[in-house]
Amino acid sequence: MHLSPSWLVARDTQPPSPVGRGAERGRIPRPQHPANAPRAPPVPPGPAAAFRSRPRGRSSPRLRGPGRAEQNGAGEMVPELEKATVRIRQPERVREIIQSFREQGVAKLQVISDFDMTLTRFGCNGKRCPTSHNILDTSRVISEDGKKKLKDLLHYYYPIEIDPNRTLEEKCPLMVEWWTKAHELLVQQKIHRSDIAQIVRESEAMLRDGFKEFFDQLHKNNVPLFIFSAGVGDILEEIIRQANVFYSNVNVVSNYMDFSDDGVLTHFKGPLIHTYNKNNTVLQGTGYFQQLSTRTSIILLGDSMGDLTMADGVPNVENILKIGFLNDKVEERRGKYLDSYDIVLESDETLDVVNGILRYILTET
């Protein structure tokens, strides 16, 4: 299925692309890394590079005492909610939503997810895993001058993106400016369509641990997965394709490249999607959510405040469960994430909690 406009993509078949030994851990493919590898330094969600993380904080309680998930039934329903990485401000509300999902049934369920640092890992073996922009920015097809200019843009605009003292109205035009300049620099590199697959193979891209169960569960039960990304659609598609999980139920909205007849990048297709406009304004005319009007149970997965609006275009939402991956500046951002997301996963490189919830919902009663 292909939905208009052209940057909304679905696949009716899973293209063959064996990835070898690394597939189960999300490698594309790479040597395996030890489970006790040191935590990686972070990179922002925009067009990419590395920043150091702050130490993980322990100041506020996890699910302990009266707020513990199991005492409200959530832990019994989904044992993964007892993981040390999980924080929930309102466990009873979470329990009620999950129970409602199960009662409503699989026919009403859909999943809406960010990609970079949500479905992909944040880091591994002491190194930051790249975003889809970063895969391009640091690849062999980018000149040294181009890499420097892309990094300069990052150092200028990233502090603006995360500045808590700036309003959304102030940030949005600056994010458009950043993405536009980054895309223009990429166009200047004369990237060939035929290079994309090899660029991804040579990268350190990794889907989160448990990705295969996640994609397989949704596909087996015909649950739509809508990936809404401010990254580079061509790159993220190739990551999913090389992991052999680009199934027919997967639809993607992202920033897609447009190539000449000779296969050379000429521009990026519109509308431009950045961190803070992932909402219904860029979906107008697609009719995607209208086609799924009966899918009124929503699981939303994200890693930023900008991801919270991804389901704004869904009509007649009955229940929505928002799960946030808190990858960076954990102590500083914890309060805001707990205010915004129903479940917060701190420095958790897996999809264990999401898979546990899906197993409970999709199990026949």
Side-chain angles (χ1 to χ4, degrees):
M1 177 175 63
H2 183 87
L3 301 177
S4 180
S6 56
W7 39 265
L8 179 55
V9 176
R11 288 293 180 269
D12 291 323
T13 59
Q14 179 191 355
S17 180
V19 297
R21 292 175 53 195
E24 287 299 321
R25 289 183 52 82
R27 302 300 294 181
I28 315 261
R30 291 288 174 266
Q32 298 297 305
H33 297 289
N36 61 350
R39 200 169 302 285
V43 158
F51 281 78
R52 298 187 61 81
S53 63
R54 299 186 182 183
R56 178 177 170 181
R58 298 278 186 179
S59 61
S60 59
R62 296 187 183 278
L63 295 175
R64 299 293 183 263
R68 190 169 182 173
E70 65 182 13
Q71 295 189 8
N72 285 307
E76 291 182 4
M77 294 161 57
V78 183
E80 290 81 4
L81 289 173
E82 288 298 305
K83 287 185 66 175
T85 56
V86 177
R87 289 183 184 270
I88 303 175
R89 178 156 285 173
Q90 300 182 61
E92 178 62 21
R93 180 176 183 274
V94 168
R95 188 200 68 78
E96 291 174 354
I97 293 173
I98 295 173
Q99 184 61 37
S100 175
F101 283 167
R102 184 168 177 170
E103 292 170 357
Q104 292 292 324
V106 64
K108 286 200 169 186
L109 182 65
Q110 65 171 303
V111 177
I112 301 172
S113 182
D114 173 49
F115 186 75
D116 289 316
M117 307 304 103
T118 296
L119 295 182
T120 62
R121 288 186 60 137
F122 191 69
C124 183
N125 199 28
K127 294 178 63 178
R128 251 295 277 116
C129 294
T131 65
S132 53
H133 268 108
N134 190 231
I135 288 171
L136 270 182
D137 294 353
T138 60
S139 70
R140 57 181 171 78
V141 301
I142 307 298
S143 67
E144 291 304 313
D145 181 61
K147 291 177 181 177
K148 179 183 181 303
K149 289 178 178 177
L150 288 163
K151 185 177 291 187
D152 288 345
L153 288 177
L154 171 73
H155 290 161
Y156 178 78
Y157 286 104
Y158 179 60
I160 297 172
E161 180 184 358
I162 65 171
D163 186 349
N165 299 314
R166 287 181 183 256
T167 66
L168 188 61
E169 289 72 21
E170 290 178 290
K171 289 182 178 183
C172 278
L174 293 170
M175 294 302 98
V176 171
E177 196 173 274
W178 180 11
W179 259 252
T180 300
K181 289 179 178 179
H183 288 173
E184 288 173 349
L185 282 171
L186 291 174
V187 169
Q188 292 172 16
Q189 303 303 306
K190 305 296 183 184
I191 298 168
H192 285 258
R193 190 204 310 268
S194 58
D195 288 331
I196 299 298
Q198 188 62 26
I199 288 171
V200 170
R201 277 192 290 270
E202 293 173 353
S203 76
E204 292 296 320
M206 292 181 68
L207 292 165
R208 286 187 185 270
D209 290 2
F211 80 91
K212 191 174 188 308
E213 179 183 353
F214 172 74
F215 280 90
D216 285 355
Q217 279 195 90
L218 297 178
H219 180 237
K220 177 182 177 182
N221 291 278
N222 198 29
V223 176
L225 170 59
F226 181 67
I227 298 175
F228 204 165
S229 173
V232 181
D234 308 79
I235 297 294
L236 74 84
E237 272 196 25
E238 189 61 30
I239 292 171
I240 301 171
R241 182 177 294 112
Q242 290 186 18
N244 282 335
V245 290
F246 202 168
Y247 298 130
S248 58
N249 64 312
V250 178
N251 293 274
V252 180
V253 162
S254 189
N255 297 298
Y256 278 90
M257 300 176 176
D258 204 5
F259 297 90
S260 68
D261 292 341
D262 296 329
V264 178
L265 174 63
T266 58
H267 64 279
F268 278 77
K269 302 173 184 178
L272 184 148
I273 303 172
H274 58 77
T275 306
Y276 295 114
N277 73 337
K278 294 167 72 173
N279 53 51
N280 198 38
T281 60
V282 296
L283 296 178
Q284 291 177 356
T286 68
Y288 176 78
F289 286 135
Q290 285 66 36
Q291 294 176 35
L292 298 177
S293 59
T294 60
R295 301 276 182 169
T296 54
S297 299
I298 313 296
I299 295 177
L300 182 146
L301 310 176
D303 75 314
S304 74
M305 294 297 105
D307 293 331
L308 292 162
T309 60
M310 292 190 297
D312 282 3
V314 180
N316 307 316
V317 174
E318 293 185 30
N319 283 293
I320 182 167
L321 183 69
K322 298 180 179 181
I323 302 175
F325 290 87
L326 180 48
N327 300 308
D328 186 15
K329 296 181 173 61
V330 172
E331 186 75 21
E332 178 181 331
R333 297 180 176 181
R334 178 179 294 133
K336 180 172 285 190
Y337 273 66
L338 285 170
D339 288 341
S340 305
Y341 284 99
D342 300 302
I343 299 173
V344 176
L345 305 177
E346 295 186 355
S347 303
D348 188 334
E349 297 290 357
T350 77
L351 289 168
D352 291 349
V353 170
V354 180
N355 285 335
I357 291 171
L358 287 173
R359 281 195 297 271
Y360 179 79
I361 295 170
L362 300 175
T363 299
E364 293 184 6
T365 55

